Amino acid sequence: MKNKKLQSMIVIGMLSSISFILMLFNFPLPALPAFLKVDFSDVPALIAAITMGPVAGILVAFFKNALDWLFAGSPTGVPVGHLANFVTSILFIMPVYVIYRKMATKKGMAFGLAAGTLSMAIGMSVLNYLVFLPMYTYFLNMPAETGNALFGTIVLGILPFNLIKGLILTAIVLLMFSSMQKWIDKQRLYYQ
């Protein structure tokens, strides 16, 4: 039992490190707000969640953001962007975990990724409207966007960004899944 617990902690640490490194290679999408950047750091968190359970995926998402905040800092001094990235990761990986747990096939993975993309896009649109954008403007001491300007930022910036990011992550995971399915199933049996 102790050996499995130690191995789980080591794997979570390794996946967190890989996730942190992948987070460094972020890039903006043309025609969308420059502060929104795509990275592939949710892939290791997703692998942790579907092989070891949701807590492992959440821990990987937490550690990658904690490491990035320690190394890169935050323009606000408060890790608002890191908190938003953490929530985004959870909104993406949890539906995939739940659906794949019930239907452990390529079709189940595809449905889970579609649900994760929608969850991330809708959830982050609402949370940016209510929480994250107001926090940014407060901590950066900028005038707050309100009304149509805020709604436009959400509908024309954040929603399409998260949909595109979800589609990119879905394509990458589905490409990897074909060659990793046997390994994933073996790991799921071992850890869960």
Side-chain angles (χ1 to χ4, degrees):
M1 183 65 181
K2 286 183 180 179
N3 191 20
K4 190 185 284 189
K5 193 178 263 190
L6 176 63
Q7 189 173 352
S8 297
M9 291 189 317
I10 291 169
V11 171
I12 289 170
M14 288 181 354
L15 288 172
S16 299
S17 300
I18 293 167
S19 193
F20 164 64
I21 291 167
L22 289 172
M23 200 172 182
L24 297 174
F25 296 102
N26 58 41
F27 57 92
L29 294 172
L32 291 173
F35 66 88
L36 298 171
K37 295 187 177 162
V38 174
D39 64 64
F40 305 116
S41 63
D42 288 333
V43 175
L46 179 63
I47 290 170
I50 61 176
T51 58
M52 294 185 282
V55 173
I58 291 169
L59 285 172
V60 170
F62 173 77
F63 289 134
K64 74 167 178 169
N65 280 292
L67 285 169
D68 191 66
W69 183 51
L70 289 172
F71 282 93
S74 171
T76 62
V78 178
V80 178
H82 295 94
L83 182 60
N85 186 288
F86 175 65
V87 172
T88 301
S89 296
I90 292 172
L91 288 170
F92 181 69
I93 65 176
M94 291 312 292
V96 180
Y97 166 76
V98 169
I99 292 171
Y100 189 73
R101 186 170 171 229
K102 294 184 187 306
M103 189 177 11
T105 62
K106 189 170 184 173
K107 191 176 186 179
M109 179 61 72
F111 282 136
L113 290 164
T117 298
L118 289 174
S119 167
M120 177 176 65
I122 294 168
M124 287 312 292
S125 294
V126 171
L127 288 170
N128 270 293
Y129 185 82
L130 297 173
V131 179
F132 295 121
L133 288 177
M135 282 176 72
Y136 262 118
T137 57
Y138 175 78
F139 287 117
L140 289 174
N141 201 19
M142 295 170 40
E145 279 189 318
T146 57
N148 289 337
L150 180 58
F151 187 75
T153 299
I154 301 295
V155 172
L156 300 175
I158 291 170
L159 180 63
F161 169 81
N162 283 306
L163 287 171
I164 294 167
K165 178 181 176 181
L167 290 172
I168 293 170
L169 290 172
T170 296
I172 289 169
V173 171
L174 287 177
L175 285 172
M176 289 175 48
F177 186 75
S178 298
S179 61
M180 292 180 66
Q181 186 174 7
K182 287 181 183 174
W183 179 83
I184 287 171
D185 292 338
K186 184 179 174 185
Q187 298 306 306
R188 286 179 70 219
L189 286 174
Y190 179 76
Y191 286 110
Q192 295 178 1

